[in-house]
Amino acid sequence: MEKLQPPKNCQCNLEHALQQTTDHGQKQLSYALQTPDLLWEDDSPHWQRKAMLDPTSTESAQDVFQMDLYFSQETPLESSPRSQEEHWMWQPVESSKVEDFYKTDLEREFFPNWTEVSKVEEVTPGESQQARRVSFKRETCEPKTDIVFLKVHKSASSTVMNILFRFGETHNLTFAFPIGGGNQLFYPHHFLASFVKGFSPRRPQRFNILCHHMRFLQSEVQKVVSSSAVYFSILRNPVQLMESSFMYYKGTSAFSRARSLEEFLSHPYHFYNPADPNSHYAKNLMTFDFGFNPDGEFSAKRVQLMLKAIEASFDLLLISEYFDESMVLLKEMLCWDLDSIVSFPLNIRDSSTKFPLSDTIVEKIKDWNRLDWEIYIHFNRTFWERIDRDIGRERMQQEVKALRKRRAELARTCLQGMGSVAPKDIKDSSLQPLQHGNAKILGYNLKQGLDKETERMCRRLVTPELQYSSALYKKQFAQKRLQSQQPAPSQRGNALRHRLEGTHN
């Protein structure tokens, strides 16, 4: 592979590398993405961090959005808690509300004035890996079993991870687990293949699914998954993401001394020090998880380079505020059936720990997280463009309706009360989600008297991330001696395709 030679002693090596793509094509862009010191990190204290135990390294309960957002026409910024203890409960939605729900943020004139600077060299939808490798045509697709999911913090990613866990377990796929178990691949360091249990450079092993918390570095990711793997991630409105992070990561150095988010944002550098090991939780967290420098200087050129890099690496970017629509897109891309992508929201934060944000605070959050904001508004727009191009609004409504109907059926089958409950009311300790920071994470109670097969299905749907990951880890490595007797990955994929064929709508 021809290597790109960036200028020496240049902080903007990635910018230089990406600028070459016009003349030299995708090859140079890929190289830029595959080299840690090109990721705007030359002077970043994050790259100088020594290995240490992160205070959250064994804890990843996600604050997702309240489930009622799925059935509301409101945008997240317009929503507010309705009660001191708000739980998810299945509730139907009128068809007129569904139609209103599909008004995109673009149609609502969502973009702030200062994003006009990003019109220079706009990223063109369809030029990315998304268009090159993945087809939504049902007559040609096969079920995908090789998957990379970048698990962005505080963005409904635990619910997505549950979907991947269930699919992998059901179809006997392998996961790229962290060495020693746990739920993070030596985060916040850039991902290295050596972080994965069972990986050896002498005898490289390919795993089907990589989905635990990591800081993205594609060249290393490619060492542990198939070259045909599908890459996707999920984004969340940075306003809600930061409000959630402040509550969930209250013990970190940047947030611990601030009495409120408002106080932090009034004088952020009084509390925030980029050199602190856990500072990334407090600024441009999505930017950090994608592998870039969250403290990089903001400019239109830098934003466009970052967007191009993400577009080049990922087949699909989901939007947590439109979770059901995201699941439909994911189902289409992976060629899975409906039951494979249906879910209950996991690690929901109770509304008693949520507080309304003033317009002033909202604007301060956007300004403090400008890189995240640019990522979000760009991929929020391309998300809806992709729906219009590949599915259409009418079919999307039908698909979402079917998904919600199936979720309601499973809630009636599986759950006591058909909804989430406070931690103190969870009867089965094995279903107790991790409680962390100042957040109150809700869980579920299963109905009693379910038959064995139904109980197993329902339990998979509501098992918290840490417990599920631990169980799969033990199962995968307890069966290591039997792996030589299992079908090859290609044979498993063919068998899976035949099982799923006939179930697609």
Side-chain angles (χ1 to χ4, degrees):
M1 179 177 182
E2 180 183 351
K3 290 191 175 182
L4 180 70
Q5 297 299 325
K8 295 182 179 180
N9 302 320
C10 177
Q11 255 183 247
C12 47
N13 288 335
L14 180 59
E15 295 179 6
H16 175 85
L18 294 179
Q19 286 170 357
Q20 307 299 314
T21 59
T22 301
D23 299 324
H24 299 285
Q26 187 65 33
K27 184 164 53 177
Q28 282 80 1
L29 174 59
S30 299
Y31 175 69
L33 294 173
Q34 294 170 2
T35 312
D37 61 2
L38 292 181
L39 294 176
W40 310 344
E41 291 287 352
D42 301 54
D43 61 347
S44 170
H46 299 299
W47 191 243
Q48 300 169 11
R49 292 174 185 157
K50 297 179 180 180
M52 62 181 67
L53 289 176
D54 188 283
T56 60
S57 62
T58 59
E59 306 161 342
S60 78
Q62 298 291 309
D63 161 339
V64 207
F65 38 90
Q66 290 295 341
M67 189 68 171
D68 60 11
L69 181 59
Y70 293 176
F71 315 113
S72 168
Q73 64 194 24
E74 299 173 334
T75 65
L77 293 181
E78 295 167 347
S79 302
S80 60
R82 293 190 295 272
S83 65
Q84 279 302 101
E85 195 165 270
E86 184 177 30
H87 298 192
W88 168 64
M89 184 70 68
W90 167 260
Q91 44 187 302
V93 62
E94 299 175 4
S95 59
S96 61
K97 289 187 176 182
V98 173
E99 293 175 2
D100 289 340
F101 186 72
Y102 289 120
K103 291 180 179 178
T104 70
D105 291 327
L106 180 61
E107 294 167 347
R108 294 179 178 129
E109 298 181 352
F110 180 66
F111 305 122
N113 292 331
W114 59 260
T115 59
E116 293 295 318
V117 298
S118 293
K119 290 186 176 179
V120 181
E121 299 179 34
E122 285 289 340
V123 176
T124 303
E127 292 182 343
S128 65
Q129 181 162 313
Q130 300 182 27
R132 292 196 310 274
R133 296 198 318 188
V134 178
S135 170
F136 274 8
K137 294 181 180 179
R138 282 290 181 183
E139 61 270 19
T140 61
C141 76
E142 297 180 358
K144 305 297 190 298
T145 57
D146 295 305
I147 298 163
V148 174
F149 172 54
L150 178 60
K151 191 176 185 292
V152 172
H153 288 78
K154 318 310 301 165
S155 300
S157 56
S158 282
T159 304
V160 177
M161 197 172 191
N162 175 267
I163 291 171
L164 297 176
F165 279 168
R166 284 162 31 216
F167 188 89
E169 181 182 21
T170 301
H171 300 292
N172 198 30
L173 304 180
T174 57
F175 292 88
F177 283 106
I179 292 176
N183 69 302
Q184 300 200 22
L185 289 154
F186 289 82
Y187 186 88
H189 295 283
H190 278 101
F191 174 81
L192 295 177
S194 58
F195 296 164
V196 176
K197 182 176 177 62
F199 173 81
S200 170
R202 296 180 180 178
R203 292 182 299 170
Q205 178 181 354
R206 307 297 182 185
F207 301 88
N208 294 116
I209 300 176
L210 173 61
C211 61
H212 287 74
H213 273 307
M214 64 173 169
R215 192 176 182 200
F216 189 68
L217 183 57
Q218 188 170 11
S219 61
E220 290 293 313
V221 168
Q222 290 171 337
K223 296 177 181 178
V224 300
V225 297
S226 166
S227 60
S228 63
V230 175
Y231 289 67
F232 76 99
S233 187
I234 188 166
L235 306 175
R236 186 182 184 184
N237 187 315
V239 174
Q240 277 68 46
L241 189 151
M242 187 166 191
E243 186 273 336
S244 171
S245 295
F246 183 81
M247 297 301 296
Y248 195 81
Y249 301 116
K250 192 65 174 68
T252 60
S253 57
F255 292 149
S256 60
R257 293 181 293 113
R259 290 171 293 182
S260 66
L261 182 56
E262 181 177 5
E263 182 180 29
F264 174 86
L265 292 167
S266 296
H267 305 283
Y269 284 104
H270 177 72
F271 305 101
Y272 175 79
N273 181 353
D276 289 341
N278 50 27
S279 64
H280 54 280
Y281 291 115
K283 186 177 184 181
N284 289 316
L285 180 53
M286 291 191 295
T287 299
F288 184 88
D289 284 351
F290 276 96
F292 302 107
N293 180 5
D295 296 295
E297 179 182 355
F298 180 87
S299 68
K301 178 188 290 186
R302 186 179 295 274
V303 167
Q304 286 303 306
L305 294 172
M306 185 169 61
L307 295 177
K308 286 181 180 180
I310 296 172
E311 288 253 7
S313 299
F314 288 86
D315 297 298
L316 179 64
L317 276 297
L318 309 178
I319 302 295
S320 65
E321 284 78 19
Y322 300 103
F323 191 82
D324 285 344
E325 289 78 5
S326 293
M327 292 302 100
V328 172
L329 286 178
L330 187 65
K331 176 171 74 76
E332 294 292 302
M333 183 180 74
L334 298 179
C335 200
W336 289 1
D337 59 19
L338 180 62
D339 273 9
S340 295
I341 55 92
V342 72
S343 63
F344 299 140
L346 295 181
N347 300 324
I348 309 172
R349 181 166 55 115
D350 186 83
S351 61
S352 63
T353 62
K354 293 184 177 182
F355 302 95
L357 302 174
S358 68
D359 292 343
T360 300
I361 295 300
V362 167
E363 293 305 315
K364 286 183 177 181
I365 292 176
K366 293 177 184 177
D367 188 61
W368 178 247
N369 297 277
R370 292 183 75 177
L371 294 175
D372 272 11
W373 187 250
E374 289 287 353
I375 291 174
Y376 180 78
I377 61 174
H378 173 77
F379 288 107
N380 181 70
R381 181 177 68 248
T382 60
F383 176 85
W384 289 99
E385 290 172 348
R386 183 164 186 163
I387 288 175
D388 290 337
R389 183 184 70 240
D390 296 334
I391 295 181
R393 301 290 177 101
E394 183 177 353
R395 184 186 160 207
M396 176 58 77
Q397 290 187 26
Q398 296 170 354
E399 294 276 359
V400 168
K401 183 178 180 180
L403 174 58
R404 292 173 178 174
K405 180 180 178 181
R406 181 56 178 153
R407 184 185 293 122
E409 292 171 352
L410 289 171
R412 287 191 292 268
T413 298
C414 297
L415 305 179
Q416 290 185 18
M418 291 180 61
S420 57
V421 298
K424 62 182 177 59
D425 297 322
I426 298 173
K427 300 173 182 178
D428 186 340
S429 60
S430 69
L431 299 180
Q432 182 75 240
L434 177 72
Q435 303 300 315
H436 186 59
N438 289 349
K440 182 190 292 185
I441 307 300
L442 306 177
Y444 296 93
N445 286 319
L446 293 178
K447 281 185 176 179
Q448 301 296 310
L450 298 173
D451 64 76
K452 185 176 181 180
E453 188 64 28
T454 302
E455 198 274 344
R456 180 167 57 181
M457 174 195 69
C458 294
R459 181 170 291 273
R460 286 173 172 172
L461 282 163
V462 300
T463 298
E465 175 186 330
L466 298 188
Q467 290 94 310
Y468 208 156
S469 180
S470 177
L472 291 177
Y473 178 89
K474 293 176 182 177
K475 179 180 179 181
Q476 180 166 314
F477 293 104
Q479 296 178 345
K480 188 174 181 181
R481 296 179 181 177
L482 302 177
Q483 287 180 352
S484 59
Q485 303 174 15
Q486 296 177 354
S490 59
Q491 295 175 310
R492 291 202 300 270
N494 291 334
L496 173 59
R497 183 181 70 254
H498 293 308
R499 287 199 296 273
L500 291 180
E501 283 178 349
T503 63
H504 297 307
N505 295 325

